[in-house]
Amino acid sequence: MADTTTRPLGAQISHMLKDRGVDVIFGIPGVHNQEMYRGIEEAGITHVLARHEQGAGFMADGYARATGKPGVAYVITGPGLCNIMTPMGQAYSDSVPMLVISSCLDEVAARRGQLHQMKDQRGAAETVCDWSEEARTAGAAYALVDRAWAEFSARRPRPKHIQVPIAQLEATAAAAPAPMPPTPVAGGRPMDIEKAQQLLAGARKPMFIFGGGARAGADAARKLVRKLGAASFTTYAGRGVIDPDAPLHFGSYLSRPESAGVIAQADAVIAIGTELAEVDLWRAQLGHDAPMLRVDLDTESLTDPARAAWHVPSDAAGFLAALERALEEETPRSSGWTPEEVTRARHKWRAEVDAEYPGVLRVAEALQACLPQDAMIYSDMTQFAYAAKEVWNMDRPGHWHHPYGFGTLGYALPAAIGGAIGRPGLPTLAIMGDYGFHYTMAELGVAVELGLSLPIILWDNGKLGAIEASMVGAQIAPNAVVARNPDFMKLAEAFGAGAVRPAGLSELQTAVAAAFRADGPTLIYVTPDIAD
């Protein structure tokens, strides 16, 4: 039975979100959105006070990636919304379900000079999210929340923004309607499975490309590649979909130029849950000559320049499960691929990464060896992560999160905080560079305040190393790539966090293990010479 209590709309929204499974909201209160805070505690929701709206947005993103539930943030009119637009853009790029609810001014056409006024707040937000709408009545607010929830489950999950005029937030409103049944997602239609079977029927060298959208279908994906004798690649976001020790798995080396030649050998290609975007390939085309079947919830991805022969609008998990069932009685097929050629390619590509990022792989190997099996990692735009996301094998999907598409600095720390909140008692790790830490270092105070056992690997090479290398490659004298850094150890201690600088790789492993047991976050300061 729906709640019939009358409350201000701002409070009703929190009660509505609680009824739809929201247990945490990230944000910062202000005079314009304070009515949204009236009902948070009464509804039984935990509020996490960020130090900046950008941090609140990344926390909501990290929470969503860790839990699979939408991340929710409350922000104020104008600057609050502008500050969270970078995380919204990142969530849009990486298919993260996030709901941002902001206040807005009651009237802007005939008045100027109001507090927090923008020319077009709703329109500005719309540039970085799936949609941005204004709810001018309680009924509209409730309908938009339910629309967001339905689309999070049935379509490609992406951030939404709802703004509510201040006067409406303050006005009395009846309670929201009861939650609707979950909206089913399309997947595994017989006609689509038949297409895939036709494509694979005579293939001796089938190739699967798995993206982040295929994570929920990992079990079926692993069975399929074994049954079909298929080779496979994953995108960075798709790591862990296939067992890294599978003999015909080429890993997450799609960005290596020679991977195009490997894919050209395939006589059938199936790409599942991936945009095949620039940030996946770093070239214009995948490299296939054979017919390709694309499976994706997003029709825009299905009709991109990759020019697939068959388009399957479906969720990956449903499609993979249905295809695996259809082939269940088949005898495992012999393969035209050999484990030896896969091993040679992987060793060569790994050596290339090692040459491009000297010393990083030794540190990554030491770090990987000491992490608990169920550790979840959040990384930033830093050379350490650029190398690791190619060579660091994941035994399960959805446990390494990175700002892949939008590529914003400052992601890792607040996103890891959100992830740790979403997985209480389970290990979470942040990896960032010295420059990225400058962007959101204030959120370290949140981790201290909440007592999160969060190891924070700070990789300090003293510069914007990737930008310097790019400038040199373009024959530009390196400029503006070095910034004066603070004493990061003292800075962490000033926040109340632990701080340690390991002298070698074994000390790094000891420090990480201790940080997982600590009563608060620990900054682990690492420089490239640790691998010497």
Side-chain angles (χ1 to χ4, degrees), residues 371-439:
L371 291 187
Q373 188 176 26
D374 56 351
M376 186 166 283
I377 300 168
Y378 291 83
S379 59
D380 218 300
M381 300 295 286
T382 175
Q383 287 186 311
F384 187 95
Y386 303 155
K389 66 185 182 180
E390 289 197 75
V391 304
W392 188 306
N393 295 321
M394 303 296 294
D395 63 359
R396 65 190 71 187
H399 274 64
W400 186 306
H401 305 292
H402 184 81
Y404 295 108
F406 209 39
T408 177
L409 283 160
Y411 171 80
L413 174 58
I417 290 171
I421 292 168
R423 302 169 72 239
L426 295 175
T428 302
L429 174 78
I431 300 174
M432 69 198 68
D434 54 306
Y435 205 84
F437 187 52
H438 280 271
Y439 274 58

Side-chain angles (χ1 to χ4, degrees), residues 54 380-382 408-414 417 430-445 454 456-460 464 485-493 495 497-498 521-525:
Q54 186 179 63
D380 218 300
M381 300 295 286
T382 175
T408 177
L409 283 160
Y411 171 80
L413 174 58
I417 290 171
I431 300 174
M432 69 198 68
D434 54 306
Y435 205 84
F437 187 52
H438 280 271
Y439 274 58
T440 52
M441 66 173 69
E443 306 306 339
L444 185 57
L454 179 64
I456 302 163
I457 306 294
L458 180 61
W459 177 261
D460 184 4
L464 288 164
N485 281 332
D487 184 323
F488 289 115
M489 302 280 286
K490 290 181 179 178
L491 180 68
E493 291 169 353
F495 274 105
T522 304
L523 186 139
I524 302 172
Y525 182 75

Side-chain angles (χ1 to χ4, degrees), residues 464-479 481:
L464 288 164
I467 307 305
E468 180 185 63
S470 180
M471 285 181 167
V472 170
Q475 298 184 329
I476 300 170
N479 187 10
V481 295

Side-chain angles (χ1 to χ4, degrees), residues 317-332:
F319 173 85
L320 286 165
L323 182 58
E324 194 271 325
R325 286 194 300 270
L327 300 174
E328 192 172 12
E329 301 302 322
E330 279 199 20
T331 302

Side-chain angles (χ1 to χ4, degrees), residues 240-525:
V241 170
I242 299 299
D243 183 342
D245 295 325
L248 300 181
H249 182 47
F250 283 95
S252 56
Y253 290 105
L254 277 173
S255 65
R256 294 288 125 187
E258 288 184 10
S259 71
V262 171
I263 294 167
Q265 298 174 40
D267 51 11
V269 178
I270 298 183
I272 303 179
T274 171
E275 290 181 303
L276 299 177
E278 178 188 62
V279 293
D280 296 320
L281 307 176
W282 294 111
R283 58 179 180 268
Q285 299 293 334
L286 179 62
H288 64 290
D289 292 320
M292 179 167 67
L293 183 146
R294 294 283 297 274
V295 181
D296 207 288
L297 277 173
D298 187 354
T299 55
E300 183 178 352
S301 294
L302 296 176
T303 56
D304 70 5
R307 306 301 297 176
W310 291 282
H311 300 162
V312 177
S314 170
D315 81 297
F319 173 85
L320 286 165
L323 182 58
E324 194 271 325
R325 286 194 300 270
L327 300 174
E328 192 172 12
E329 301 302 322
E330 279 199 20
T331 302
R333 303 179 189 179
S334 60
S335 178
W337 303 99
T338 67
E340 292 75 21
E341 67 181 313
V342 175
T343 299
R344 284 196 301 271
R346 292 190 64 152
H347 284 172
K348 182 177 187 299
W349 294 333
R350 182 182 177 87
E352 290 175 1
V353 176
D354 197 17
E356 292 169 11
Y357 301 100
V360 172
L361 267 58
R362 287 192 61 210
V363 183
E365 288 169 349
L367 186 57
Q368 186 172 13
C370 73
L371 291 187
Q373 188 176 26
D374 56 351
M376 186 166 283
I377 300 168
Y378 291 83
S379 59
D380 218 300
M381 300 295 286
T382 175
Q383 287 186 311
F384 187 95
Y386 303 155
K389 66 185 182 180
E390 289 197 75
V391 304
W392 188 306
N393 295 321
M394 303 296 294
D395 63 359
R396 65 190 71 187
H399 274 64
W400 186 306
H401 305 292
H402 184 81
Y404 295 108
F406 209 39
T408 177
L409 283 160
Y411 171 80
L413 174 58
I417 290 171
I421 292 168
R423 302 169 72 239
L426 295 175
T428 302
L429 174 78
I431 300 174
M432 69 198 68
D434 54 306
Y435 205 84
F437 187 52
H438 280 271
Y439 274 58
T440 52
M441 66 173 69
E443 306 306 339
L444 185 57
V446 179
V448 171
E449 193 170 85
L450 299 178
L452 299 178
S453 303
L454 179 64
I456 302 163
I457 306 294
L458 180 61
W459 177 261
D460 184 4
N461 60 3
K463 64 179 78 172
L464 288 164
I467 307 305
E468 180 185 63
S470 180
M471 285 181 167
V472 170
Q475 298 184 329
I476 300 170
N479 187 10
V481 295
V482 177
R484 179 180 177 85
N485 281 332
D487 184 323
F488 289 115
M489 302 280 286
K490 290 181 179 178
L491 180 68
E493 291 169 353
F495 274 105
V500 60
R501 181 174 184 174
L505 297 180
S506 62
E507 287 189 19
L508 170 64
Q509 294 175 320
T510 300
V512 170
F516 280 125
R517 299 190 301 268
D519 295 329
T522 304
L523 186 139
I524 302 172
Y525 182 75

Side-chain angles (χ1 to χ4, degrees), residues 205-220:
K205 300 187 78 172
M207 170 69 74
F208 281 79
I209 314 292
F210 296 103
R215 290 192 294 260
D219 289 344

